[in-house]
Amino acid sequence: MNILKFTSDEDFAQTGANLIVSLLQSNPKAVLGLATGSSPVGVYAKLVEMHAKGIVSFAKASSYNLDEYVGLPVDHPQSYRSFMNEHLFNHIDIDLAKTHVPNGNAADLEAECHAYDKLLEEGGPVDLQILGIGSNGHIGFNEPDASLTSGTHVVDLLPETLEANARFFDSREDVPRQAVTMGIGGILKARQIVLLVRGEEKAEAVKNALEGPITTQCPASLLQSHPNVVVLLDEGAAKWLK
């Protein structure tokens, strides 16, 4: 793993954006794997800036998001489709028809999971996958468990994940209890993975993921098995690393 530590949020975000821009400049038809959450927001803001300056175009690119809440209306401000539209898609020249987010409102969620995997198989592999990490070590919404699912699947969110996400809703009771998430196998098929982590509350998860044993109890630790991972950390997230 190539682990980079930053004292400046500006440098953190710019470095993440530069990785994506470099890919698109060399491969305009690149397939991007995208994530939501607080860590990528600055990176997306930089991408919007660089697009506005004519440095990068997304016109020929496509994207696949990691996950989506189950049962949340697609136009709800906390849906991940809304998040991506607000922070990135509405401000760049990407073809919205080529932006994919799992449908958490599908009548048949199992069929939706299979359909999403088929989309990934036909449109992929993902050239660059953006990831964040949960305080319990989850990536996507792959929660710690005795075993992990390879393909896209429905997951019951653990109490610590519900608690962490409650800040985005009016109350903890409003947080959806389930999500559709790309599986660990799908994530690891990406040609390159960029893990973005900000905040001291993530320091223990980062240490376990990067320096601990590879275990399904810390799903992010499986990134140690991938040949091309870049990790961007702020000072808080890197606090416990050797």
Side-chain angles (χ1 to χ4, degrees):
M1 290 186 178
N2 185 8
I3 300 172
L4 306 175
K5 303 172 186 178
F6 297 88
T7 57
S8 157
D9 286 344
E10 173 84 8
D11 292 343
F12 175 99
Q14 189 65 66
T15 301
N18 288 347
L19 289 169
I20 296 170
V21 169
S22 295
L23 169 65
L24 287 167
Q25 288 173 338
S26 63
N27 178 14
K29 294 183 179 179
V31 180
L32 304 175
L34 301 177
T36 55
S38 55
S39 292
V41 167
V43 172
Y44 295 154
K46 288 294 181 187
L47 290 175
V48 170
E49 285 180 20
M50 294 172 82
H51 171 259
K53 293 175 181 177
I55 296 170
V56 63
S57 172
F58 297 79
K60 297 179 181 179
S62 58
S63 71
Y64 294 84
N65 263 72
L66 284 168
D67 42 31
E68 178 62 281
Y69 286 120
V70 168
L72 206 62
V74 70
D75 58 354
H76 189 285
Q78 296 306 324
S79 80
Y80 289 161
R81 167 57 77 175
S82 292
F83 177 101
M84 293 308 307
N85 288 344
E86 177 187 351
H87 291 286
L88 186 62
F89 296 154
N90 287 348
H91 312 289
I92 58 175
D93 60 345
I94 198 165
D95 180 353
L96 283 178
K98 293 182 180 179
T99 66
H100 306 90
V101 180
N103 179 8
N105 293 289
D108 186 336
L109 287 173
E110 186 175 349
E112 168 63 15
C113 292
H114 289 308
Y116 204 69
D117 280 338
K118 187 175 182 183
L119 273 177
L120 281 163
E121 187 176 332
E122 293 173 351
V126 168
D127 292 298
L128 187 153
Q129 175 67 61
I130 296 291
L131 291 180
I133 187 173
S135 57
N136 63 3
H138 73 226
I139 48 176
F141 271 130
N142 292 279
E143 299 278 37
D145 205 343
S147 62
L148 297 174
T149 303
S150 176
T152 302
H153 60 286
V154 177
V155 62
D156 295 324
L157 303 181
L158 294 180
E160 55 264 34
T161 299
L162 297 174
E163 190 64 39
N165 289 1
R167 69 187 188 277
F168 300 116
F169 292 83
D170 292 335
S171 72
R172 191 180 186 280
E173 287 65 41
D174 292 332
V175 184
R177 271 28 183 187
Q178 291 184 311
V180 176
T181 184
M182 194 187 298
I184 290 290
I187 291 170
L188 293 177
K189 287 178 182 177
R191 291 190 169 108
Q192 181 181 36
I193 291 174
V194 178
L195 177 63
L196 306 170
V197 196
R198 296 172 60 241
E200 190 173 334
E201 71 278 5
K202 302 288 183 70
E204 182 177 6
V206 167
K207 180 174 177 59
N208 291 338
L210 305 187
E211 297 181 347
I214 296 177
T215 169
T216 59
Q217 295 301 327
C218 178
S221 67
L222 275 79
L223 296 176
Q224 295 179 40
S225 68
H226 193 280
N228 188 3
V229 179
V230 179
V231 184
L232 308 187
L233 305 172
D234 72 2
E235 285 186 290
K239 184 178 179 179
W240 287 14
L241 292 182
K242 293 176 183 175

